[in-house]
């Protein structure tokens, strides 16, 4: 709920900014409002697709089950679970961090937790938005390197922390 | 749930587009890969918000002439680093784990941004 309020506060600041700038530079500020509406018009259809994907993930992915299996297995299976778990996990970090810390306390490898957290940089529901702005090539290349990067980070972290 | 923040950011983008000229942006992102990545990681690391906001901001920056190096670094840092949420991470995971994780993510923001932008330029 705290997040909700920060959005409203931010929106209030922006509205105030528009009012002040609207008095100082009416023409420029009107143009800014039009530019914003243009961005909004472009994004709305994508948002609908995003919410559909989110609902789909919510319905089919059992987050707790992913994280429960992730740490117990080491080897390739552990890495795959950590990477896929991170990619499929959605929602804010503060929801996941306590769950992941709980896994560490139960013996999950630190490297797997690090890989999981980095793989969260891939947000499946928002991929349509990324494609719209950056194109297919960028999206595929980005996804590929983030997965590789998450895995490498996990390996390095495991070496450094040795648990 | 995300609507007010989304509207706020879109409103800011409109102001940004009309008040910040490409010339001003070019002084911030000067086209050298390392410089642009430093600026991108710096801004991305201190920004807070839903990850998709970084796609919108990054996409608009790209349209205004920023390089893929800077924009990719911005998105990666935005999504994987959070100066603001650092205290929470330290308190949940402990000092050592949180420090190692964040330093690695900082390093990888540069490494991956370079690799991603390089590959995109090669394929494009």
């Amino acid at each position: 709920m705290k997040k909700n309020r920060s959005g409203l506060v931010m929106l209030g600041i922006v509205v105030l900014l528009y009012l002040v700038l609207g008095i100082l530079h009416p023409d420029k500020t009107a143009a800014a409002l039009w530019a914003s509406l243009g961005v909004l018009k472009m994004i709305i259809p994508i948002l609908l697709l995003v919410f559909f994907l989110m609902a789909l993930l919510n319905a089919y992915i059992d987050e707790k089950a992913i994280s429960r299996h992730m740490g117990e297995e080491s080897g390739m299976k552990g890495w795959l679970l950590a990477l896929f778990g991170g990619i499929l996990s959605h929602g804010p970090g503060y929801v996941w961090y306590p769950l992941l810390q709980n896994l560490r306390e139960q013996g999950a490898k630190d490297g797997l937790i690090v890989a999981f957290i980095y793989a969260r940089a891939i947000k499946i529901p928002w991929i349509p938005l990324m494609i719209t702005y950056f194109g297919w090539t960028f999206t595929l290349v980005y996804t590929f390197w983030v997965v590789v990067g998450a895995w490498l980070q996990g390996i390095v972290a495991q070496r450094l922390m040795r648990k | 749930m995300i609507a007010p923040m989304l509207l706020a950011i879109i409103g800011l983008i409109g102001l940004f587009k009309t008040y910040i000229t490409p010339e001003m942006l070019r002084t911030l992102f000067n086209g050298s890969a390392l410089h642009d990545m430093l600026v991108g990681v710096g801004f991305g690391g201190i920004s807070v918000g839903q990850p998709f906001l970084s796609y919108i901001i990054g996409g608009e920056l790209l349209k205004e002439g920023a390089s893929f190096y800077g924009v990719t670094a911005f998105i990666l840092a935005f999504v994987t680093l959070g100066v603001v949420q650092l205290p929470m991470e330290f308190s949940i995971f402990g000092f050592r784990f949180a420090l190692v994780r964040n330093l690695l993510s900082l390093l990888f923001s540069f490494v991956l941004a370079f690799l991603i932008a390089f590959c995109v330029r090669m394929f494009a």
Side-chain angles (χ1 to χ4, degrees), chain A residues 65-88:
Chain A
I66 292 175
S67 50
R68 213 179 303 127
H69 291 293
M70 195 192 80
E72 291 155 11
E73 312 281 347
S74 49
M76 210 53 214
K77 199 176 161 199
W79 288 111
L80 285 176
L81 278 169
L83 293 172
F84 277 109
I87 293 170
L88 292 174

Side-chain angles (χ1 to χ4, degrees), chain A residues 3-4 6-8 10-11 14 17-18 21 25 28-29 31-33 35-37 39-40 42-43 47 51 93-94 97-98 100-101 104 110 113-114 117-118 120-123 126-127 129-130 133-134 137-138 141-142 145-146 148-149 152-153 156-157 160-161, chain B residues 1-19 49-60 62-63 68 71-72 75-76 79-80 85 88-89 92-94 96-97 100-101 104-105 108-109 112 115-117 119-120 123-124:
Chain A
K3 246 198 153 104
N4 212 340
S6 72
L8 283 175
M10 185 77 182
L11 187 59
V14 172
L17 206 60
Y18 265 92
L21 287 171
H25 312 277
K28 248 183 161 177
T29 310
L33 196 60
S36 293
L37 287 175
V39 173
L40 193 63
M42 188 198 89
I43 284 174
L47 284 182
F51 292 136
Y94 58 77
Y97 288 178
L100 294 171
Q101 173 59 17
R104 281 180 77 213
D110 281 352
I113 306 289
V114 168
I117 293 175
Y118 203 80
R120 284 170 43 79
I122 297 167
K123 306 281 175 194
W126 294 101
I127 281 180
L129 187 67
M130 188 177 250
Y133 268 117
F134 305 104
T137 310
F138 178 88
V141 168
Y142 173 91
W145 281 115
V146 168
V148 172
L152 287 176
Q153 265 187 59
V156 175
L160 288 173
M161 294 188 261
Chain B
M1 196 173 62
I2 51 177
M5 188 57 102
L6 182 68
L7 288 177
I9 295 290
I10 289 175
L12 278 181
I13 286 172
L15 287 175
F16 181 89
K17 282 182 148 183
T18 40
Y19 281 90
Q50 299 263 351
F52 73 91
L53 296 174
S54 70
Y55 299 176
I56 301 175
I57 299 165
E60 299 293 340
L62 199 65
K63 279 188 202 163
F68 260 119
V71 170
T72 311
I75 292 175
L76 282 170
V79 181
T80 62
Q85 63 165 17
M88 183 195 72
E89 224 187 303
I92 293 176
F93 290 119
R96 194 173 151 80
F97 179 93
V100 169
R101 195 201 78 72
L104 281 174
S105 289
F108 272 72
S109 290
L112 294 186
L115 287 168
I116 291 166
C119 289
V120 166
F123 292 130

